[in-house]
Amino acid sequence: MTGWIDTHCHLDAPEFAADVAEVRERARQRGVVHCVLPAVQAAHFEATRTLAHQFGDSYALGIHPLYVKEAQDGDLARLDTALAEHRDDPHLVAVGEIGLDYFVPELCASPLRERQEYFYVEQLKLARQHGLPVILHVRRSADMLLKGLRAVGQGGHRWSGIAHAFNGSLQQAEAFIALGLKLGFGGALSYERAQNLRRLATELPLEAIVLETDAPDMPPHWLYTTAEQRAAGEVQGRNEPGELPRIAEVLAGLRGMQAPLLARQTRRNALAALPRLLQATA
Ligand SMILES: [Zn+2]
């Protein structure tokens, strides 16, 4: 069977608390051979690490911009300590999920705007210091993320990693690629109205693309519940890593290629973005 890698799913999320082992097994049966689990807050570092070990998957440690509000100043030191403590753990593949979110109004205004920018830059420094790739949250923030990568990377540092759920311009995509990153695409591709995103995912060099679900978020259209359906009592469909092959079929269709070839190439790309995956998936 074709072996897919879900480069971004949050199996530690409360949505999976009741049935995470079944969710992971279902993904395996559908051909998802490996998942990368990015942490979102210091309180979840251990849980994320434990899940990755339990399933033979990989994990990243970081503080997500949407969790900066609750984060303590000492959480950056906790991250530094955890990265040092687990440096020889082959399942630890990156610093993430880190980044900037200029979609949520509260995060665009003082003091949280400065605070998320501070957490982003400090975590980039930790990634560089520990020699790890980064997994980036990009929401209306591509230019500022690029600025941070350039500033912290000064002096010839070569970044690697993933700009996840990428939905920017071709020019921004090329800037991330030039800095050494891959771009993560997922369920958003399954919406016909997402024309810009679909065009981007079709025109970018195949070498630049990795696949992800961002489960439990970003449901593909076949799981999506509209506002009216929700008002009528239906619940929002939960995304899960087992949806990755079907999402990949959408991309294969857009690019006019066979799914097994897409699986092989995106796997190679994931290994280039997160070199320690090679040990973890061996
Ligand atoms: Zn995420």
Side-chain angles (χ1 to χ4, degrees), residues 8 10 38 64 97 164 214:
H8 198 111
H10 297 284
H64 189 293
E97 175 172 357
H164 124 82
D214 201 18

PDB file of all heavy atoms in Angstrom, residues 8 10 38 64 97 164 214, ligand 1:
ATOM      1  N   HIS A   8       1.469  16.874   9.946  1.00  0.00           N
ATOM      2  CA  HIS A   8       0.934  17.804  10.945  1.00  0.00           C
ATOM      3  C   HIS A   8      -0.423  17.339  11.451  1.00  0.00           C
ATOM      4  O   HIS A   8      -1.442  17.519  10.790  1.00  0.00           O
ATOM      5  CB  HIS A   8       0.789  19.204  10.315  1.00  0.00           C
ATOM      6  CG  HIS A   8       0.670  20.314  11.307  1.00  0.00           C
ATOM      7  ND1 HIS A   8       1.649  21.256  11.506  1.00  0.00           N
ATOM      8  CD2 HIS A   8      -0.318  20.622  12.180  1.00  0.00           C
ATOM      9  CE1 HIS A   8       1.272  22.108  12.438  1.00  0.00           C
ATOM     10  NE2 HIS A   8       0.079  21.745  12.867  1.00  0.00           N
ATOM     11  N   HIS A  10      -2.707  16.918  15.378  1.00  0.00           N
ATOM     12  CA  HIS A  10      -2.683  17.166  16.823  1.00  0.00           C
ATOM     13  C   HIS A  10      -3.419  16.039  17.542  1.00  0.00           C
ATOM     14  O   HIS A  10      -4.556  16.217  17.988  1.00  0.00           O
ATOM     15  CB  HIS A  10      -3.319  18.523  17.133  1.00  0.00           C
ATOM     16  CG  HIS A  10      -2.582  19.677  16.530  1.00  0.00           C
ATOM     17  ND1 HIS A  10      -1.404  20.145  17.064  1.00  0.00           N
ATOM     18  CD2 HIS A  10      -2.821  20.436  15.434  1.00  0.00           C
ATOM     19  CE1 HIS A  10      -0.958  21.174  16.326  1.00  0.00           C
ATOM     20  NE2 HIS A  10      -1.797  21.352  15.323  1.00  0.00           N
ATOM     21  N   PRO A  38       2.857  18.024  16.365  1.00  0.00           N
ATOM     22  CA  PRO A  38       3.433  19.235  16.949  1.00  0.00           C
ATOM     23  C   PRO A  38       2.693  19.604  18.238  1.00  0.00           C
ATOM     24  O   PRO A  38       1.459  19.611  18.253  1.00  0.00           O
ATOM     25  CB  PRO A  38       3.205  20.316  15.885  1.00  0.00           C
ATOM     26  CG  PRO A  38       2.440  19.658  14.779  1.00  0.00           C
ATOM     27  CD  PRO A  38       1.927  18.354  15.278  1.00  0.00           C
ATOM     28  N   HIS A  64       2.447  27.451  20.426  1.00  0.00           N
ATOM     29  CA  HIS A  64       1.647  27.927  19.298  1.00  0.00           C
ATOM     30  C   HIS A  64       1.180  29.370  19.572  1.00  0.00           C
ATOM     31  O   HIS A  64       0.865  29.690  20.713  1.00  0.00           O
ATOM     32  CB  HIS A  64       0.445  26.973  19.208  1.00  0.00           C
ATOM     33  CG  HIS A  64      -0.411  27.118  18.009  1.00  0.00           C
ATOM     34  ND1 HIS A  64      -1.173  28.241  17.777  1.00  0.00           N
ATOM     35  CD2 HIS A  64      -0.661  26.274  16.993  1.00  0.00           C
ATOM     36  CE1 HIS A  64      -1.851  28.066  16.651  1.00  0.00           C
ATOM     37  NE2 HIS A  64      -1.559  26.890  16.154  1.00  0.00           N
ATOM     38  N   GLU A  97       4.625  23.625  17.336  1.00  0.00           N
ATOM     39  CA  GLU A  97       4.203  24.544  16.312  1.00  0.00           C
ATOM     40  C   GLU A  97       4.385  25.965  16.807  1.00  0.00           C
ATOM     41  O   GLU A  97       3.833  26.338  17.843  1.00  0.00           O
ATOM     42  CB  GLU A  97       2.734  24.255  15.971  1.00  0.00           C
ATOM     43  CG  GLU A  97       2.129  25.234  14.992  1.00  0.00           C
ATOM     44  CD  GLU A  97       0.726  24.786  14.547  1.00  0.00           C
ATOM     45  OE1 GLU A  97       0.256  23.702  14.938  1.00  0.00           O
ATOM     46  OE2 GLU A  97       0.104  25.553  13.807  1.00  0.00           O
ATOM     47  N   HIS A 164       3.315  25.476   7.554  1.00  0.00           N
ATOM     48  CA  HIS A 164       2.165  24.575   7.547  1.00  0.00           C
ATOM     49  C   HIS A 164       0.875  25.314   7.208  1.00  0.00           C
ATOM     50  O   HIS A 164       0.748  26.502   7.473  1.00  0.00           O
ATOM     51  CB  HIS A 164       2.127  23.849   8.906  1.00  0.00           C
ATOM     52  CG  HIS A 164       0.876  23.966   9.676  1.00  0.00           C
ATOM     53  ND1 HIS A 164      -0.219  23.178   9.428  1.00  0.00           N
ATOM     54  CD2 HIS A 164       0.529  24.771  10.698  1.00  0.00           C
ATOM     55  CE1 HIS A 164      -1.175  23.496  10.281  1.00  0.00           C
ATOM     56  NE2 HIS A 164      -0.750  24.453  11.054  1.00  0.00           N
ATOM     57  N   ASP A 214      -3.676  18.543   9.759  1.00  0.00           N
ATOM     58  CA  ASP A 214      -3.945  19.492  10.841  1.00  0.00           C
ATOM     59  C   ASP A 214      -5.121  19.009  11.702  1.00  0.00           C
ATOM     60  O   ASP A 214      -5.795  19.813  12.344  1.00  0.00           O
ATOM     61  CB  ASP A 214      -4.224  20.910  10.314  1.00  0.00           C
ATOM     62  CG  ASP A 214      -3.996  21.986  11.369  1.00  0.00           C
ATOM     63  OD1 ASP A 214      -3.319  21.699  12.379  1.00  0.00           O
ATOM     64  OD2 ASP A 214      -4.510  23.104  11.207  1.00  0.00           O
TER      65      ASP A 214
HETATM   66 ZN    ZN B   1      -1.478  22.862  13.919  1.00  0.00          ZN
END
